[in-house]
Amino acid sequence: MTKIQKDGPATRLEPTPALHAETTVLHGGYRCDPATLATTVPIYLSNAYAFESIDHASDVFDLRRQGRTYSRLMNPTTDIFEQRVAALEGGVAALATSSGQAAIMLAILNIAVTGDNIVSSAHLYGGTINLLASTFQRLGIETRFVDPSDPERFREASDHRTRCWFAEGLPNPKLSPFPIVEVGAIAHEVGIPLIIDNTMTPLISCPLKLGAHLTVQSTSKYICGHGTTIGGIVVDGGTFDWAAYSERFPLMTRPDVSHGNILWLDAARGLPGPYGASPFLLKMRNTLMRDFGPCPSPFASFLCIQGLETLPLRMPRHCSNARQLADYLKAHPGVVDVTYPPFGGTAERQRAVQNMGDHGGPMIVFEIAGGIEAGGRFIERLRLAYHVSNIGDARTLATHPASTTHASVPREARLAAGVRDGTIRISVGLEHIDDIIADLRQALEGA
């Protein structure tokens, strides 16, 4: 079922397809420390790593041999976290970052430069809208937002300078499941990689198996699971053929002057394991991570490993509680509308099942009458749920997006993302469902 090998500071358990997700998140990439036999992944608080010789150092720096140089690029604790997330997502390799926004930034800048464009779903988190529409625009990279309800709009909005398509698998806070299978099929046909943000649905959805080529996540959310650290990750499914579309992707296929005119596809073929499994991430790690430096701390990676180990227990509970709360809110006379994937139209319900199986998702959005004022009163009356702008915590979290996460988003874009004046977003936690419902009931009574 598995094989154990010595590789650096730890004895590793190499995951195989025979391992289920519940096992991979506990055992993937690490078995025990060979010196101490400790079974918990150590926190390697080291900036740098010794070389065996001058030749060894030269080979590692020139990517002729796998090895570590500096913890901005690679760290043993982070390595194990990356391997486990890659296995969970069904990818060939992963690269951890300091935040989810950093993961999105690196994934796009790895293949796009001034004059290029990307096509993105309009159904996005407010911070991502600002990143794509404002910050990338200042860098000369255009984002063309489309309504994802018609998958063909991605093809129609693309041209020879389009470098990727981007979407959230379960958009925050729109909660309209993205048509991953349909858009992924078109992306494969035209030769453009589809990047899916899977922050909202780790474990319960696997975009790489549905047709996406790359995924990104904010690991601060459900993977960490306890609101204790900030992090992000990029996972490569290993299914996009960069060489077949060399004219569209010169950054991947032509000599890179920033790294001694290296050819990334050739370099990856010469390296073993996850490091060489993804030319895309090999380039990202040794150029953008090298230059911008948005790496996670070893302690942040350790906390995310701890959270990952209980993800198979937490995600079903989040979703179960969310479904029961959604049913309650749907019947409440003070609630104007409830947005929850299983409550959508026929196409949305089908996509919810296609993407997430029998899990409806861990978050609910609903609208109460009275607009911004009523929304504010509701939030301030909550006693159990926390009023914070985070999601994915073990505790129930509530926010009023129009005055927080989407406050800086233009009104038209805010409405397109599903945020109205009276919209309330609930990230449903792990508390007993009766206590969650009781808290929202008393808050609604005074709103």
Side-chain angles (χ1 to χ4, degrees), residues 24-372:
T24 294
V25 297
L26 289 164
H27 296 282
Y30 180 85
R31 183 66 177 173
C32 65
D33 182 90
T36 65
L37 301 184
T39 57
T40 298
V41 177
I43 305 171
Y44 289 95
L45 295 176
S46 180
N47 285 358
Y49 307 90
F51 298 110
E52 299 169 0
S53 65
I54 290 293
D55 288 342
H56 176 222
S58 177
D59 286 345
V60 170
F61 268 93
D62 289 340
L63 303 182
R64 293 188 296 270
R65 179 175 174 182
Q66 183 172 340
R68 300 183 182 92
T69 58
Y70 198 63
S71 274
R72 184 172 72 247
L73 303 181
M74 304 179 77
N75 173 273
T77 308
T78 302
D79 288 352
I80 296 162
F81 175 55
E82 291 170 345
Q83 288 184 53
R84 290 186 178 180
V85 175
L88 179 69
E89 291 277 283
V92 297
L95 188 150
T97 63
S98 58
S99 70
Q101 291 296 88
I104 296 171
M105 178 190 73
L106 295 190
I108 294 174
L109 291 183
N110 207 38
I111 48 178
V113 297
T114 298
D116 291 339
N117 67 77
I118 72 169
V119 179
S120 172
S121 166
H123 300 169
L124 298 175
Y125 158 65
T128 304
I129 293 174
N130 285 330
L131 172 65
L132 300 185
S134 299
T135 302
F136 276 9
Q137 183 179 26
R138 290 197 294 272
L139 297 176
I141 300 171
E142 176 191 6
T143 300
R144 300 170 178 176
F145 293 100
V146 298
D147 181 346
S149 60
D150 180 0
E152 284 293 334
R153 290 185 175 131
F154 282 82
R155 188 201 307 264
E156 294 165 359
S158 300
D159 60 24
H160 70 287
R161 295 297 297 269
T162 302
R163 298 300 182 241
C164 68
W165 294 349
F166 180 85
E168 295 176 5
L170 185 61
N172 168 24
K174 183 77 170 179
L175 299 188
S176 178
F178 183 78
I180 301 173
V181 171
E182 295 91 334
V183 177
I186 300 170
H188 179 74
E189 178 184 340
V190 300
I192 296 175
L194 173 60
I195 303 174
I196 294 293
D197 187 332
N198 199 35
T199 294
M200 288 274 288
T201 51
L203 183 75
I204 63 173
S205 180
C206 192
L208 296 177
K209 294 180 180 178
L210 297 173
H213 301 97
L214 299 145
T215 61
V216 295
Q217 284 196 46
S218 169
T219 57
S220 321
K221 311 301 191 297
Y222 292 97
I223 283 184
C224 172
H226 299 85
T228 56
T229 193
I230 302 295
I233 200 159
V234 183
V235 182
D236 184 0
T239 56
F240 192 82
D241 189 347
W242 303 103
Y245 302 97
S246 59
E247 291 301 315
R248 187 184 290 273
F249 299 103
L251 294 183
M252 287 297 304
T253 60
R254 296 178 185 173
D256 192 335
V257 296
S258 76
H259 206 292
N261 286 319
I262 194 171
L263 289 167
W264 294 110
L265 303 185
D266 292 346
R269 279 191 287 268
L271 292 170
Y275 200 47
S278 168
F280 182 84
L281 295 180
L282 183 68
K283 174 186 178 300
M284 183 187 298
R285 189 184 301 274
N286 288 282
T287 58
L288 299 179
M289 185 62 80
R290 176 198 66 192
D291 297 341
F292 292 143
C295 61
S297 73
F299 186 60
S301 295
F302 174 81
L303 291 176
C304 286
I305 288 171
Q306 301 307 297
L308 196 62
E309 291 183 348
T310 61
L311 184 69
L313 300 177
R314 291 184 287 106
M315 284 305 294
R317 178 62 176 264
H318 282 298
C319 295
S320 173
N321 277 355
R323 178 57 192 251
Q324 294 177 76
L325 181 59
D327 287 336
Y328 168 78
L329 292 171
K330 190 176 181 181
H332 195 287
V335 175
V336 175
D337 183 57
V338 178
T339 301
Y340 188 58
F343 293 172
T346 301
E348 288 189 343
R349 293 197 304 271
Q350 290 175 344
R351 285 168 181 164
V353 172
Q354 189 176 59
N355 291 0
M356 299 181 289
D358 58 358
H359 299 287
M363 198 162 78
I364 299 168
V365 170
F366 65 97
E367 186 177 4
I368 57 177
I372 289 180

